[in-house]
Amino acid sequence: MKRLVPHLPHTLRGRLTAGLVVLLALACATVGLVSVLALERFLVGRLDQQLATEGPRFAVSLEQEPDGDGDEPADTRGQAAGTFGARLVDGRVERAAVVRGTTDRAVPLTSADAASLAALPTGGQARTLRLSTLGEYRVAAHTGREGDVLVTGLPLHPVEETVERLVMVEAVGFAAVLAVAGTVAAVWTRLSLRPLEHLAATADGVTRLPLAAGQVDLPPPLAEPGADSEVGRLTGAFNRMLGHVGDALDRRHAVEERLRTFAADAGHELRTPVATVRARAELVLRTHGDALPDEVRHALQRIDSESRRMSLLVDELLLLARLDAGRALCADPVDLTRLVLDTVEDASTRHPEHHWEMELPERPVHVTGDADRLHQVLVNLLANAGRHTPAGTRVVVALVPRGTEVELSVTDDGPGIPPDLMPVVFRRFSRGDASRSRATGATGLGLAIVQAVVGAHGGRVSVASEPGRTCFTLVLPSDREAAEAGTQPSGN
């Protein structure tokens, strides 16, 4: 059986309001209970006082012998309506009557009633007794002149009616008070917590800002309701935190701008001398290569190789600088199927020892973007798979349209990416094997360019790797109009 747990409000405003109403309800219940008990005790005390004042006067009249018919009335003068009287002789009830108007009427008693009356102690102490035909009474027993026992009682139903009336009045009154108090508490709590609501809304808005994307416009400081209040101190602390975050973002943005400017300027400044060095080395090797000593020819070949690597590094740095600056790429229809066919064919030529496979849909898949940059993304992914996996590795390039998006994946069954490299695999100059990367001419910017280009196209890239399987997944927005106007691919 499930345990029933009361449903509590989730908001602070609801909890405070519910707490105030519950406390007020407990206070009302306590006041009501105390007042009911006090009134009941007071009224019962008045009955006991009346019993002590009247004494056994009505019961004494029951000692008179009735006439032959047994209908001689008892003395009911000055007795309240409902007064009960009984005469017991040797523990047996001889007569029992109750006042009705100006006369008394005999009361039929059960054996249980008679036993309860016989058990009453004499001396005039009031007791509560329930009679089967009359209800509850406050009764007192006295010793009569003839050695008998005289019992006099007053009904408790007026006390019960008064107490019940008070309970009803209190219930209605307290319910109205709780309703009004709950409404007032809800309004007051809402007004008191309004600064917290503004603070929460502002904090939620800040969490939605692209803080990692660059400079953003933070919301203005909130109005502080009072420096001495808890809400005021919290708001002040939040405003100071926003100020620190804004200063940090501004400083970071300034540093990033300086780095972008430096990268762009350095790239432009390095492009010409690197090209000159490369051209001079190629010219000497081409015109005097055979006449040069082996050491000189080898040195020139190394200069040519490193200049080519430096030229590639400069071009990639310039591309990242342009993407970081937010420069728009081309937005032309691109046949992604054709790009996959071309890049896989080139990759199989560079790495013939690998097994290259393609999984393409029957119809061409189109996206809107920059064909050259997307071609570079595919080249980097395939080069990464061919460079960092051993010979005989199976590499599968799959292209799958998914509604308004296109999913492109490059999966290999190589050794996988080391776990310590996974968090930084898309960072710039991140290499799995530094020595091997230098030997193959890798710059450590390939996957960073993949992420930057895909992000500039409004897409996303992810990687999942384990021993025996590594999968890079690209998701790009599709171009439905181009897809509908496209033709069948030529095959693979």
Side-chain angles (χ1 to χ4, degrees), residues 335-337 360-366 399 401 480-489:
D335 188 346
L336 204 57
T337 304
L360 303 177
E362 295 181 357
R363 295 178 59 84
V365 178
H366 292 80
L399 186 61
R480 287 189 171 183
E481 295 182 359
E484 293 176 356
T487 59
Q488 295 288 340

Short mmCIF file of all heavy atoms in Angstrom, two decimals, residues 335-337 360-366 399 401 480-489:
data_model
loop_
_atom_site.label_atom_id
_atom_site.label_comp_id
_atom_site.label_asym_id
_atom_site.label_seq_id
_atom_site.Cartn_x
_atom_site.Cartn_y
_atom_site.Cartn_z
N ASP A 335 25.68 20.21 -52.58
CA ASP A 335 25.36 18.80 -52.71
C ASP A 335 26.31 18.03 -51.78
O ASP A 335 27.48 17.77 -52.11
CB ASP A 335 25.55 18.36 -54.16
CG ASP A 335 25.05 16.93 -54.40
OD1 ASP A 335 24.83 16.22 -53.39
OD2 ASP A 335 24.89 16.54 -55.56
N LEU A 336 25.80 17.68 -50.60
CA LEU A 336 26.64 17.01 -49.62
C LEU A 336 27.02 15.61 -50.06
O LEU A 336 28.09 15.09 -49.73
CB LEU A 336 25.91 16.97 -48.27
CG LEU A 336 26.77 16.83 -47.01
CD1 LEU A 336 27.77 17.96 -46.93
CD2 LEU A 336 25.89 16.83 -45.77
N THR A 337 26.15 14.99 -50.84
CA THR A 337 26.46 13.64 -51.36
C THR A 337 27.69 13.68 -52.26
O THR A 337 28.57 12.82 -52.18
CB THR A 337 25.25 13.08 -52.12
OG1 THR A 337 24.11 13.09 -51.27
CG2 THR A 337 25.51 11.66 -52.59
N LEU A 360 25.18 5.93 -48.39
CA LEU A 360 24.51 7.13 -48.88
C LEU A 360 23.06 6.82 -49.23
O LEU A 360 22.74 5.70 -49.66
CB LEU A 360 25.24 7.67 -50.11
CG LEU A 360 26.73 8.00 -49.92
CD1 LEU A 360 27.33 8.46 -51.25
CD2 LEU A 360 26.91 9.05 -48.85
N PRO A 361 22.16 7.80 -49.07
CA PRO A 361 20.76 7.59 -49.48
C PRO A 361 20.64 7.58 -51.00
O PRO A 361 21.58 7.95 -51.72
CB PRO A 361 20.04 8.79 -48.85
CG PRO A 361 21.09 9.83 -48.73
CD PRO A 361 22.38 9.11 -48.46
N GLU A 362 19.49 7.16 -51.48
CA GLU A 362 19.30 7.07 -52.93
C GLU A 362 19.26 8.44 -53.59
O GLU A 362 19.73 8.60 -54.70
CB GLU A 362 18.00 6.30 -53.22
CG GLU A 362 18.03 4.85 -52.77
CD GLU A 362 16.76 4.14 -53.11
OE1 GLU A 362 15.83 4.81 -53.64
OE2 GLU A 362 16.66 2.91 -52.86
N ARG A 363 18.69 9.42 -52.90
CA ARG A 363 18.58 10.76 -53.48
C ARG A 363 19.68 11.64 -52.92
O ARG A 363 20.14 11.44 -51.77
CB ARG A 363 17.22 11.38 -53.19
CG ARG A 363 16.05 10.64 -53.85
CD ARG A 363 14.73 11.28 -53.47
NE ARG A 363 14.65 12.67 -53.86
CZ ARG A 363 14.29 13.10 -55.08
NH1 ARG A 363 14.00 12.21 -56.02
NH2 ARG A 363 14.24 14.38 -55.36
N PRO A 364 20.12 12.64 -53.69
CA PRO A 364 21.16 13.55 -53.19
C PRO A 364 20.67 14.32 -51.96
O PRO A 364 19.50 14.64 -51.83
CB PRO A 364 21.41 14.49 -54.37
CG PRO A 364 20.89 13.78 -55.57
CD PRO A 364 19.74 12.93 -55.09
N VAL A 365 21.60 14.60 -51.09
CA VAL A 365 21.30 15.36 -49.88
C VAL A 365 21.94 16.73 -50.01
O VAL A 365 23.15 16.84 -50.27
CB VAL A 365 21.84 14.64 -48.63
CG1 VAL A 365 21.58 15.47 -47.38
CG2 VAL A 365 21.19 13.27 -48.50
N HIS A 366 21.12 17.78 -49.85
CA HIS A 366 21.59 19.15 -50.01
C HIS A 366 21.51 19.90 -48.69
O HIS A 366 20.61 19.67 -47.88
CB HIS A 366 20.77 19.90 -51.07
CG HIS A 366 20.96 19.38 -52.46
ND1 HIS A 366 20.33 18.25 -52.93
CD2 HIS A 366 21.74 19.84 -53.49
CE1 HIS A 366 20.67 18.03 -54.18
NE2 HIS A 366 21.54 18.98 -54.54
N LEU A 399 25.69 9.09 -44.51
CA LEU A 399 24.92 10.32 -44.68
C LEU A 399 23.44 9.97 -44.55
O LEU A 399 22.93 9.15 -45.33
CB LEU A 399 25.22 10.95 -46.04
CG LEU A 399 24.62 12.31 -46.33
CD1 LEU A 399 25.11 13.35 -45.33
CD2 LEU A 399 24.95 12.75 -47.75
N PRO A 401 19.54 11.72 -43.98
CA PRO A 401 18.62 12.85 -43.74
C PRO A 401 17.67 12.52 -42.58
O PRO A 401 17.12 11.42 -42.52
CB PRO A 401 17.85 12.97 -45.06
CG PRO A 401 18.58 12.10 -46.04
CD PRO A 401 19.26 11.04 -45.24
N ARG A 480 15.67 21.70 -47.99
CA ARG A 480 14.62 20.88 -48.62
C ARG A 480 14.37 21.28 -50.07
O ARG A 480 14.15 20.44 -50.93
CB ARG A 480 13.32 21.00 -47.81
CG ARG A 480 13.38 20.27 -46.49
CD ARG A 480 12.02 20.23 -45.85
NE ARG A 480 11.99 19.35 -44.69
CZ ARG A 480 10.91 19.10 -43.98
NH1 ARG A 480 9.76 19.67 -44.31
NH2 ARG A 480 10.96 18.28 -42.94
N GLU A 481 14.38 22.60 -50.35
CA GLU A 481 14.09 23.04 -51.72
C GLU A 481 15.15 22.50 -52.68
O GLU A 481 14.83 22.02 -53.77
CB GLU A 481 14.04 24.56 -51.75
CG GLU A 481 12.88 25.14 -50.95
CD GLU A 481 12.86 26.66 -51.05
OE1 GLU A 481 13.74 27.21 -51.73
OE2 GLU A 481 11.94 27.28 -50.46
N ALA A 482 16.42 22.57 -52.26
CA ALA A 482 17.48 22.05 -53.13
C ALA A 482 17.36 20.54 -53.29
O ALA A 482 17.62 19.98 -54.34
CB ALA A 482 18.84 22.44 -52.58
N ALA A 483 16.95 19.86 -52.21
CA ALA A 483 16.82 18.42 -52.27
C ALA A 483 15.72 18.01 -53.23
O ALA A 483 15.84 17.04 -53.97
CB ALA A 483 16.55 17.86 -50.87
N GLU A 484 14.59 18.77 -53.23
CA GLU A 484 13.50 18.43 -54.12
C GLU A 484 13.86 18.69 -55.58
O GLU A 484 13.37 18.01 -56.48
CB GLU A 484 12.27 19.26 -53.73
CG GLU A 484 11.71 18.86 -52.35
CD GLU A 484 10.56 19.76 -51.96
OE1 GLU A 484 10.26 20.72 -52.70
OE2 GLU A 484 9.95 19.51 -50.88
N ALA A 485 14.74 19.66 -55.81
CA ALA A 485 15.13 19.96 -57.19
C ALA A 485 16.34 19.17 -57.66
O ALA A 485 16.75 19.26 -58.80
CB ALA A 485 15.44 21.45 -57.32
N GLY A 486 16.92 18.38 -56.76
CA GLY A 486 18.15 17.64 -57.09
C GLY A 486 17.90 16.46 -57.99
O GLY A 486 16.77 16.06 -58.28
N THR A 487 19.01 15.87 -58.48
CA THR A 487 18.94 14.71 -59.35
C THR A 487 19.55 13.51 -58.64
O THR A 487 20.16 13.64 -57.59
CB THR A 487 19.70 14.98 -60.66
OG1 THR A 487 21.05 15.28 -60.32
CG2 THR A 487 19.08 16.16 -61.41
N GLN A 488 19.44 12.38 -59.25
CA GLN A 488 19.99 11.17 -58.70
C GLN A 488 21.52 11.23 -58.71
O GLN A 488 22.11 11.72 -59.68
CB GLN A 488 19.52 9.94 -59.51
CG GLN A 488 18.02 9.71 -59.41
CD GLN A 488 17.63 9.19 -58.04
OE1 GLN A 488 18.45 8.68 -57.32
NE2 GLN A 488 16.36 9.32 -57.69
N PRO A 489 22.18 10.74 -57.65
CA PRO A 489 23.65 10.71 -57.70
C PRO A 489 24.16 9.70 -58.71
O PRO A 489 23.49 8.76 -59.10
CB PRO A 489 24.01 10.29 -56.26
CG PRO A 489 22.84 9.51 -55.78
CD PRO A 489 21.66 10.13 -56.42
#
